[in-house]
């Protein structure tokens, strides 16, 4: 690597202003690795920052390097790094916690209030040619996994964490509302973790068709009919029963109402999609049937399991990569993700030529 090599970087300067800049190649600290970035997927949160300048409570206040669904090849290691070496290909877990707070000490490091997280203001992301990251949050990829699949470990980990939160057991039936990228990776995660039947809902027929091809047992278009009709369809698919677990991957009030109505008594609902801060929901129904409602915020301890799912052949995430661009084509890639032209599921940017 030439000492004066330039590092092409995608920088979100402000709302609706994404630029490519040439920046210096960083040096890894003692516990870090320098990565030649391989692939970075575009997430819905990236699009939110581009279009709205914020996602949930996180607000863009200064220029920020975008991108957090990444993989790369180790180019250089810090002096304390012993488990990785130059040439190793890794999936990057984008969140690096403080390791000292109550959440970290309790093992729930995703809830660390001081966590560094790629492309969450004010932290820079990894959509660039060269990037440094804490080596302990870089996971070596098996020989049979590609860098594209490595980048998909980030969204797949959300699905794994959602299933963990649902305490999914072998043989459970699962309802997943929403057939977007997170709903689809939750589908393959649930199947890999032993779900018997998975029913998926959406309002777009094309997405429901993708879900069927990816392994969903039954799909329901919830734009047609009433919630009573949808409950009947779900029960019919399960022999008159309701699913033990429901994962809401939409964030919409109507989907959450369906989740409460259509989760078995004593079952668990996991809210994965980010919606409005306040909603009107039939909580008395959940209360009287002891339906547990949990949230999901990113993931914890999920990357090793996600990698094993893919490397073993139990989870196919490559099928969800529908569009590919080079780093130089980043603006076009974000335009595809933003507009939905060509029905994208996962838009992947390749950072190395």
């Amino acid at each position: 690597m030439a000492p004066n090599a330039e590092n092409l970087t995608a920088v979100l300067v402000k709302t609706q202003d994404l630029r490519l800049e040439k920046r210096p190649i960083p040096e890894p600290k003692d516990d870090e690795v320098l990565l030649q970035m391989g692939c970075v997927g575009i997430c819905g949160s990236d699009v939110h920052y581009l279009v709205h300048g914020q996602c949930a409570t996180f607000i863009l206040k200064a220029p920020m390097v975008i991108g957090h669904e990444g993989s790369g090849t180790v180019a250089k290691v810090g002096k304390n790094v012993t488990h990785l070496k130059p040439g190793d290909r890794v999936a990057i877990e984008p969140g690096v916690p403080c390791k000292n707070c109550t959440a970290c000490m309790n093992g729930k490091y995703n809830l660390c209030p001081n966590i560094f997280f790629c492309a969450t203001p004010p932290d820079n992301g990894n959509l660039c040619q060269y990037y440094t990251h804490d080596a302990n949050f870089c996971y070596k990829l098996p020989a049979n996994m590609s860098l594209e699949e490595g980048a998909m470990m980030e969204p797949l980990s959300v699905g794994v964490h959602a299933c963990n939160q649902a305490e999914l057991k072998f043989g459970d039936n699962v309802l997943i509302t929403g057939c977007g990228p997170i709903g689809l990776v939750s589908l393959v995660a649930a199947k890999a973790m032993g779900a018997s039947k998975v029913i998926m809902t959406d309002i777009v027929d094309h997405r429901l068709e993708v879900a069927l091809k990816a392994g969903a047992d039954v799909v329901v278009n919830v734009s047609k009919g009433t919630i009573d009709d949808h409950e009947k369809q779900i029960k019919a698919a399960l022999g008159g029963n309701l699913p033990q677990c429901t994962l809401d991957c939409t964030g919409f009030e109507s989907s959450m109402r369906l989740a409460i109505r259509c989760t078995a008594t004593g079952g668990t609902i996991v809210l994965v999609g980010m919606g409005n801060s306040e909603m009107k929901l039939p909580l008395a129904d959940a209360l009287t049937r002891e339906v547990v409602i949990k949230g999901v915020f990113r993931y914890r301890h999920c990357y090793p399991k996600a990698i094993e799912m893919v490397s073993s052949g139990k989870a196919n995430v490559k099928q969800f990569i529908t569009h590919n661009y080079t780093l130089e084509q980043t603006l076009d890639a974000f335009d595809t993700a933003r507009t939905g032209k060509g029905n994208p599921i996962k838009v992947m940017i390749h950072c190395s030529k």
Side-chain angles (χ1 to χ4, degrees), residues 110-154:
N110 59 314
L111 304 180
C112 170
N114 304 308
I115 196 170
F116 165 92
F117 200 92
C118 289
T120 296
D123 301 328
N124 283 321
N126 53 29
L127 184 49
C128 51
Q129 289 174 309
Y130 291 95
Y131 168 75
T132 55
H133 199 71
D134 188 311
N136 288 322
F137 291 85
C138 294
Y139 299 84
K140 188 174 178 179
L141 294 174
N144 68 342
M145 281 183 64
S146 65
L147 287 169
E148 291 91 342
E149 290 169 316
M152 289 294 292
M153 294 305 92
E154 199 279 339

Side-chain angles (χ1 to χ4, degrees), residues 168 171-175 195-198 238 241-246:
L168 174 64
D172 281 351
N173 294 315
V174 180
L175 171 64
S196 178
K197 286 188 177 181
V198 176
L238 299 178
N241 299 311
L242 290 173
Q244 292 90 350
C245 308
T246 297

Side-chain angles (χ1 to χ4, degrees), residues 162 165-166 168 173-177 199 201 234 242-249 255-256 258-264 267-272 291-294:
Q165 287 286 82
L168 174 64
N173 294 315
V174 180
L175 171 64
I176 299 176
T177 57
I199 301 171
T201 69
I234 291 166
L242 290 173
Q244 292 90 350
C245 308
T246 297
L247 312 179
D248 174 55
C249 299
S255 292
M256 294 184 192
L258 179 69
I260 293 173
R261 171 78 76 89
C262 294
T263 301
T268 302
I269 298 170
V270 178
L271 306 181
V272 188
V291 173
V292 177
I293 301 175
K294 295 183 179 180

Side-chain angles (χ1 to χ4, degrees), residues 37-42 69-73 89-92 141-142 144-156 310 316-325 346-352:
M37 293 300 295
C39 296
V40 178
I42 297 179
E69 299 181 0
S71 65
T73 302
R89 299 171 314 120
V90 301
I92 306 164
L141 294 174
N144 68 342
M145 281 183 64
S146 65
L147 287 169
E148 291 91 342
E149 290 169 316
M152 289 294 292
M153 294 305 92
E154 199 279 339
L156 181 58
V310 174
N316 176 5
V317 291
K318 207 164 188 176
Q319 63 182 316
F320 303 135
I321 303 173
T322 54
H323 293 70
N324 293 276
Y325 293 88
K346 180 56 63 178
V347 177
M348 189 66 66
I349 299 175
H350 299 255
C351 301
S352 300

Side-chain angles (χ1 to χ4, degrees), residues 37 39 65 119 171 185 230 294 331:
M37 293 300 295
C39 296
V65 179
V185 293
H230 306 148
K294 295 183 179 180
L331 300 186

Side-chain angles (χ1 to χ4, degrees), residues 61-336:
K61 297 180 180 179
M64 175 185 74
V65 179
I66 202 75
H68 64 271
E69 299 181 0
S71 65
T73 302
V74 176
K76 190 175 182 179
V77 301
K79 70 176 186 179
N80 294 338
V81 178
T82 58
H83 68 289
L84 293 172
K85 63 183 186 304
D88 286 343
R89 299 171 314 120
V90 301
I92 306 164
E93 182 171 353
V96 180
C98 75
K99 307 180 182 74
N100 295 314
C101 67
T102 300
C104 286
M105 297 301 288
N106 288 335
K108 297 183 177 181
Y109 65 83
N110 59 314
L111 304 180
C112 170
N114 304 308
I115 196 170
F116 165 92
F117 200 92
C118 289
T120 296
D123 301 328
N124 283 321
N126 53 29
L127 184 49
C128 51
Q129 289 174 309
Y130 291 95
Y131 168 75
T132 55
H133 199 71
D134 188 311
N136 288 322
F137 291 85
C138 294
Y139 299 84
K140 188 174 178 179
L141 294 174
N144 68 342
M145 281 183 64
S146 65
L147 287 169
E148 291 91 342
E149 290 169 316
M152 289 294 292
M153 294 305 92
E154 199 279 339
L156 181 58
S157 289
V158 176
V160 172
H161 184 45
C163 292
N164 286 341
Q165 287 286 82
E167 299 181 24
L168 174 64
K169 296 180 288 297
F170 186 87
D172 281 351
N173 294 315
V174 180
L175 171 64
I176 299 176
T177 57
C179 297
I182 293 301
L184 292 170
V185 293
S186 296
L187 161 65
V188 296
K191 284 289 189 175
M193 294 171 71
S196 178
K197 286 188 177 181
V198 176
I199 301 171
M200 298 193 70
T201 69
D202 206 288
I203 59 174
V204 179
D205 284 332
H206 170 74
R207 290 182 178 177
L208 294 167
E209 291 168 7
V210 172
L212 281 173
K213 291 177 182 176
D217 296 280
V218 176
V219 296
V220 177
N221 189 325
V222 290
S223 70
K224 304 169 184 177
T226 66
I227 191 170
D228 292 331
D229 297 326
H230 306 148
E231 181 185 13
K232 289 176 183 177
Q233 289 173 276
I234 291 166
K235 278 186 172 181
L238 299 178
N241 299 311
L242 290 173
Q244 292 90 350
C245 308
T246 297
L247 312 179
D248 174 55
C249 299
T250 71
F252 289 118
E253 180 178 309
S254 58
S255 292
M256 294 184 192
R257 296 178 73 87
L258 179 69
I260 293 173
R261 171 78 76 89
C262 294
T263 301
T265 296
T268 302
I269 298 170
V270 178
L271 306 181
V272 188
M274 190 76 72
N276 293 331
S277 58
E278 293 186 9
M279 298 182 191
K280 186 177 180 180
L281 299 173
L283 293 181
D285 182 13
L287 170 69
T288 56
R289 296 191 299 114
E290 291 194 359
V291 173
V292 177
I293 301 175
K294 295 183 179 180
V296 157
F297 186 59
R298 298 167 179 162
Y299 33 73
R300 55 179 178 264
H301 312 295
C302 292
Y303 265 64
K305 183 179 287 188
I307 290 171
E308 177 60 27
M309 284 181 180
V310 174
S311 64
S312 66
K314 291 182 179 179
N316 176 5
V317 291
K318 207 164 188 176
Q319 63 182 316
F320 303 135
I321 303 173
T322 54
H323 293 70
N324 293 276
Y325 293 88
T326 65
L327 182 57
E328 290 79 6
Q329 296 171 319
T330 291
L331 300 186
D332 292 332
F334 270 84
D335 186 61
T336 296

